[in-house]
Amino acid sequence: MSRHDKLKDLHREKETFAARTVVAACVALLLAATLSFRLFDLQVLQQTYYSTRADENRMRLSAVAPVRGLIYDRNGAVLAQNTPAFVLELVPEEVKQLDDTLQRLAKLVRLDDIDVARFKERVRKTPRYRAVPLRTNLSLEEVAKFEINRYDFDGVDVTAGLTRSYPLGDTAAHVVGYVGGITEDELRKAPEPAFRGLSQIGKVGVEKSHEDLLRGEPGAKVIEANAYGRPLRELDYQQGKPGRNLILTLDAKVQMVAEQALGDYNGAVVAINPQNGEIIALVSKPGFNPHLFGEGIDGKTYKTLLDDPNRPLYNRALQGTYPPGSTIKPFMALAGLEYEVIDANHREVCNGQMSLPGSSRKYRCWKRHGHGSLDMAAGVARSCDIYFYNVAINLGIDRIQGFLDQFGLGRATDVDLPLEKAGLLPSREWKQRMRKESWYPGETLNVGIGQGYLTVTPLQLTQITARMAMRGDGFKPHLVRATQDPISLATDAIALEPLPAIQNRHKADWETVVHAMQQVTQVQGGTAFATFKDAPYTVAGKTGSAQVAGLKQDEKVAPTQESLPMHLRDHALFIAFAPADNPQIAIGVIAEHGGHGASVAAPVARQIMDQYLLGEIRYRAPGTPAPAVAVPAAPVPAVAIPQQAAPPDAELPDTEDN
């Protein structure tokens, strides 16, 4: 066979082609089977999984912040509300170049240095996966500019929401408080689901202490988005549960009167209804503007507030601790009667000074030439130090501490506000434990006139006054009167908490001391007679001065308060309740460096009592304008409330109480 014939072996070629065809067909069938199986797997076996993934790419599920509850005063004045606003927000982890994004945004919306600094401070304190507000209250023009350019800003969005506002400004700011951005630490302490969709939380005041009631429960919404993530339409919406409204015991008009009556003095005022423990006014001056915090305060402004020597962020009513001065004397008189070291007719002779047995140290009365012979009522009315030095030394620190402990001194009142301090009721055991020293007789004299180690908060001082007004009974002080459902407007009153009655063997002793306190305000020679002589209601009160700087032992004449620098002047104090026989209000006033309780603190209490009991201020302190007390109010449902010191040679402070 020729070579050419070998090359043209057709039979073999056919066999080879057939074999290749079979192989190709098998491969094609295998590929087709594989593709069919994969399609079956994707479209049937894993249909649910991939359908869900597709929906996730197309739809976004996001939490809807609940509407925060409103806060009212007892008469319907709005203290905290929600205002509609457009908010520009950024999610830090979705923004690649933060500074560049901020610069480009500044070309579309107004951004000043404070906005940027405040935003960066928020970013530092907020989880990176949470939206952080950059600007609130955007104008419609700014919203339109951003929407046109939204595609160029990943992680940036404009949302229509509500911002917290406080219509009365700095009035009652320490009571109402404010909201601020949620921090990582706050999220760790609280269940995450409760804060979904929220960017703010209560920081101080009622906003903080009743956060659980005000916050509400978040809802959810499903948004359809395009390939660029831009929202197209809302597919589903579940309304969140709004927070409950709070109706406070506070009277905004009385609060305003108290703040204005303090004038230029820093200090605190607390007014309580003794019949149920409701706090009518709680003032700490100076105050602050809560809107600074609602918007998100920048570091520079916050540092300015912290460095202010007047300490505007410090709630003096709950955190300030002061010697009670002569306002403690009615309680010392009651203790003396209880332990029978004095009776109502017991007299002491005041020559202006005295010494303890075996000591040459002089303990002076604020009235240097003395009061002469006084009984107990006159001792209270004229605030004689010598009288109460003798009561204190005859009682001894152990009985003084035990008796005052029943009134709650040295313990927090457990009011429904955060950061309350306890004050200090000293004892032998306390001094030994804290200072490793024994108790000295001179320190007992200090306590007897409200000086030395003994300190109280303005709230405590008012609370013990309320308990005196109730002749030993009383209720725990509280600020929330009722909660309200924002939809049905149904209210639930807060239950009152009675306090254990103060044990006293002779009930008549209460009336004896109250009668003495009435002489302070209603008898010529009483230290507050000039302020209350024309009051159309009966007042039981006590003036006081808490010494800031001591006097030298050889100083013959006490300098006048007016001759001292302001920071060395005594604190002015006054406590009172009225009407004396059916008390509706108890008040404690502390005016820092006010000098005299009678001329500075007592007029503050008089104006508050006028406003609360009469509905108008009839008393005017010399040179003071009439307070403006216009308060915008919204009607709220009526709420039915059920009634129900130093070593023995140390200088003893002198008090001036005139």
Side-chain angles (χ1 to χ4, degrees):
M1 186 178 289
S2 67
R3 186 176 180 183
H4 178 71
D5 293 335
K6 290 181 179 179
L7 292 173
K8 298 186 68 176
D9 189 347
L10 297 176
H11 180 70
R12 188 174 181 180
E13 288 180 358
K14 289 179 180 180
E15 289 179 348
T16 302
F17 179 77
R20 290 176 177 174
T21 301
V22 170
V23 171
C26 290
V27 171
L29 287 172
L30 180 62
L31 291 175
T34 302
L35 179 61
S36 298
F37 175 79
R38 185 59 177 158
L39 290 173
F40 179 78
D41 179 58
L42 292 175
Q43 297 183 31
V44 178
L45 298 181
Q46 299 192 58
Q47 186 273 339
T48 302
Y49 171 76
Y50 285 105
S51 177
T52 302
R53 290 289 301 272
D55 285 340
E56 288 177 351
N57 291 332
R58 182 174 63 92
M59 296 181 293
R60 291 181 176 181
L61 177 66
S62 60
V64 176
V67 177
R68 193 171 181 86
L70 308 183
I71 302 177
Y72 299 95
D73 87 331
R74 67 189 300 122
N75 299 313
V78 181
L79 304 178
Q81 65 183 4
N82 303 308
T83 305
F86 289 105
V87 181
L88 182 64
E89 298 179 334
L90 284 79
V91 180
E93 71 175 8
E94 297 180 9
V95 178
K96 296 179 180 179
Q97 298 291 334
L98 184 60
D99 289 336
D100 176 65
T101 299
L102 292 175
Q103 290 176 6
R104 290 186 291 118
L105 282 172
K107 298 177 181 179
L108 303 177
V109 301
R110 179 183 58 80
L111 290 178
D112 55 33
D113 293 340
I114 293 180
D115 292 323
V116 174
R118 183 169 55 204
F119 169 75
K120 290 185 174 180
E121 184 73 12
R122 286 171 170 170
V123 170
R124 187 177 65 82
K125 297 179 179 179
T126 306
R128 293 186 60 78
Y129 60 85
R130 299 180 70 93
V132 179
L134 173 59
R135 263 278 314 279
T136 57
N137 296 319
L138 266 67
S139 67
L140 292 176
E141 181 182 355
E142 288 175 321
V143 173
K145 286 181 178 180
F146 174 79
E147 290 295 338
I148 293 173
N149 297 275
R150 176 194 287 269
Y151 67 90
D152 201 28
F153 293 94
D154 293 333
V156 184
D157 197 7
V158 170
T159 61
L162 299 172
T163 60
R164 200 67 161 170
S165 64
Y166 304 93
L168 299 188
D170 58 358
T171 296
H174 287 99
V175 176
V176 179
Y178 55 83
V179 297
I182 304 173
T183 65
E184 287 271 17
D185 185 56
E186 287 168 335
L187 280 178
R188 282 193 295 268
K189 294 178 180 178
E192 171 68 17
F195 291 92
R196 287 176 184 163
L198 293 176
S199 60
Q200 294 185 319
I201 189 174
K203 295 293 185 178
V204 298
V206 170
E207 292 274 31
K208 177 179 176 65
S209 62
H210 293 79
E211 170 68 26
D212 291 346
L213 290 171
L214 290 166
R215 183 175 60 241
E217 298 177 7
K221 62 181 177 180
V222 179
I223 301 294
E224 183 179 22
N226 61 17
Y228 296 100
R230 182 171 184 174
L232 298 177
R233 58 176 175 150
E234 188 177 282
L235 300 178
D236 190 22
Y237 185 90
Q238 294 181 0
Q239 181 82 30
K241 182 180 179 181
R244 290 186 69 83
N245 298 333
L246 298 184
I247 302 171
L248 303 189
T249 62
L250 210 69
D251 186 316
K253 289 186 177 181
V254 176
Q255 180 83 12
M256 284 184 173
V257 168
E259 292 179 4
Q260 295 178 29
L262 270 175
D264 295 331
Y265 291 105
N266 294 339
V269 180
V270 181
I272 294 176
N273 183 342
Q275 304 283 347
N276 51 29
E278 292 183 349
I279 296 177
I280 301 163
L282 192 146
V283 174
S284 178
K285 197 170 182 180
F288 60 89
N289 184 358
H291 291 104
L292 293 173
F293 296 88
E295 291 287 329
I297 193 167
D298 63 281
K300 182 178 179 181
T301 304
Y302 187 58
K303 187 176 186 302
T304 300
L305 289 173
L306 290 178
D307 294 341
D308 189 331
N310 291 315
R311 306 175 73 185
L313 300 181
Y314 183 65
N315 189 343
R316 287 164 164 81
L318 269 66
Q319 298 171 275
T321 53
Y322 306 83
S326 294
T327 60
I328 203 68
K329 290 174 180 176
F331 305 92
M332 292 297 299
L334 189 63
L337 294 171
E338 170 66 14
Y339 291 108
E340 298 181 343
V341 301
I342 60 170
D343 58 31
N345 298 316
H346 176 81
R347 305 187 74 86
E348 295 284 352
V349 176
C350 172
N351 295 317
Q353 64 183 35
M354 66 170 285
S355 297
L356 289 170
S359 172
S360 61
R361 182 154 303 275
K362 299 173 182 177
Y363 300 96
R364 301 186 182 90
C365 184
W366 68 266
K367 192 173 184 179
R368 288 295 181 265
H369 58 273
H371 288 95
S373 177
L374 307 94
D375 60 12
M376 190 271 288
V380 172
R382 300 181 184 181
S383 197
C384 176
D385 291 333
I386 300 300
Y387 192 98
F388 288 97
Y389 287 151
N390 284 289
V391 171
I393 205 65
N394 289 325
L395 280 170
I397 189 58
D398 298 327
R399 292 196 290 190
I400 293 174
Q401 188 273 336
F403 189 77
L404 295 182
D405 178 71
Q406 292 190 81
F407 282 87
L409 294 186
R411 301 190 303 275
T413 66
D414 199 25
V415 69
D416 49 342
L417 281 178
L419 305 177
E420 182 188 10
K421 287 189 176 179
L424 176 61
L425 178 59
S427 65
R428 296 181 192 274
E429 292 75 18
W430 169 83
K431 191 180 180 194
Q432 185 62 45
R433 183 178 70 255
M434 299 300 297
R435 303 203 170 202
K436 310 301 182 194
E437 296 176 355
S438 300
W439 188 268
Y440 298 106
E443 294 168 334
T444 302
L445 269 66
N446 266 332
V447 173
I449 61 167
Q451 299 283 169
Y453 299 124
L454 178 63
T455 60
V456 298
T457 66
L459 177 59
Q460 283 179 322
L461 187 63
T462 308
Q463 174 67 356
I464 67 172
T465 305
R467 302 215 66 185
M468 177 70 78
M470 294 294 290
R471 281 65 168 176
D473 292 327
F475 295 86
K476 189 176 85 170
H478 59 280
L479 268 162
V480 176
R481 195 169 192 237
T483 66
Q484 181 190 59
D485 185 287
I487 299 175
S488 68
L489 300 183
T491 59
D492 294 323
I494 299 299
L496 304 181
E497 295 187 38
L499 297 172
I502 295 172
Q503 299 302 313
N504 188 274
R505 289 180 294 178
H506 309 293
K507 297 301 181 184
D509 291 346
W510 294 102
E511 299 304 330
T512 300
V513 174
V514 169
H515 174 71
M517 295 177 70
Q518 286 181 261
Q519 293 194 29
V520 172
T521 63
Q522 295 169 345
V523 174
Q524 185 76 38
T527 52
F529 174 73
T531 300
F532 289 94
K533 60 185 178 181
D534 62 344
Y537 43 82
T538 57
V539 180
K542 183 69 191 78
T543 56
S545 298
Q547 195 170 46
V548 174
L551 301 176
K552 296 179 180 178
Q553 184 65 195
D554 59 354
E555 198 159 4
K556 301 292 185 183
V557 179
T560 62
Q561 292 294 304
E562 292 72 21
S563 68
L564 295 172
M566 178 61 75
H567 70 283
L568 295 180
R569 296 180 186 178
D570 296 347
H571 298 321
L573 298 93
F574 185 71
I575 61 171
F577 56 88
D581 57 348
N582 182 28
Q584 303 299 312
I585 185 171
I587 297 177
V589 180
I590 295 180
E592 293 180 358
H593 308 294
H596 309 299
S599 58
V600 174
V604 175
R606 171 65 195 273
Q607 293 182 56
I608 295 170
M609 287 182 171
D610 277 2
Q611 178 64 43
Y612 186 70
L613 297 175
L614 307 177
E616 61 177 351
I617 302 172
R618 298 184 182 179
Y619 173 83
R620 292 286 182 273
T624 60
V629 294
V631 178
V636 296
V639 180
I641 302 298
Q643 293 298 324
Q644 255 188 261
D649 290 337
E651 176 59 25
L652 181 71
D654 293 301
T655 63
E656 185 173 355
D657 203 356
N658 52 8

